[in-house]
């Protein structure tokens, strides 16, 4: 499972990468505490690079601040 951390466009690039890392790590911790094997969880941060929408308002920014999970086939 790959967990992608994302941030909105506000703030600098390094700051937003760090926020994305924190979001992805929080989901990883949550899943592993509930029995998902840690070695099956991968995290990546896209910072502000993959917005959920392109409008510049709070609703859009809120949708963009997220962790997204992808199942990888073996």
């Amino acid at each position: 499972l790959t967990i992608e951390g994302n941030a909105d466009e506000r703030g600098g690039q390094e700051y937003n990468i760090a926020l994305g890392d924190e979001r992805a790590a929080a989901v990883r911790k949550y899943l592993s505490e509930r029995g998902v094997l840690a070695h099956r969880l991968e995290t990546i941060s896209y910072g502000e690079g993959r917005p959920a929408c392109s409008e510049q308002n709070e609703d859009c920014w809120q949708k963009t601040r997220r962790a997204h999970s992808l199942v990888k086939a073996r």
Side-chain angles (χ1 to χ4, degrees), residues 6-73:
N6 297 275
D8 63 39
E9 64 189 37
R10 298 174 294 174
Q13 184 175 352
E14 288 181 26
Y15 177 75
N16 288 332
I17 291 289
L19 284 176
D21 279 336
E22 289 177 22
R23 287 189 178 100
V27 172
R28 184 177 198 269
K29 181 180 182 220
Y30 176 86
L31 292 173
S32 62
E33 287 174 348
R34 280 149 186 82
V36 179
L37 299 174
H39 75 274
R40 301 191 74 180
L41 300 171
E42 177 181 312
T43 61
I44 188 168
S45 176
Y46 292 112
E48 61 193 63
R50 293 187 173 185
C53 57
S54 59
E55 298 171 26
Q56 293 185 335
N57 59 51
E58 188 56 45
D59 287 336
C60 183
W61 293 326
Q62 188 174 26
K63 290 175 188 172
T64 297
R65 294 186 302 263
R66 70 197 189 284
H68 182 83
S69 301
L70 300 171
V71 176
K72 295 169 76 174

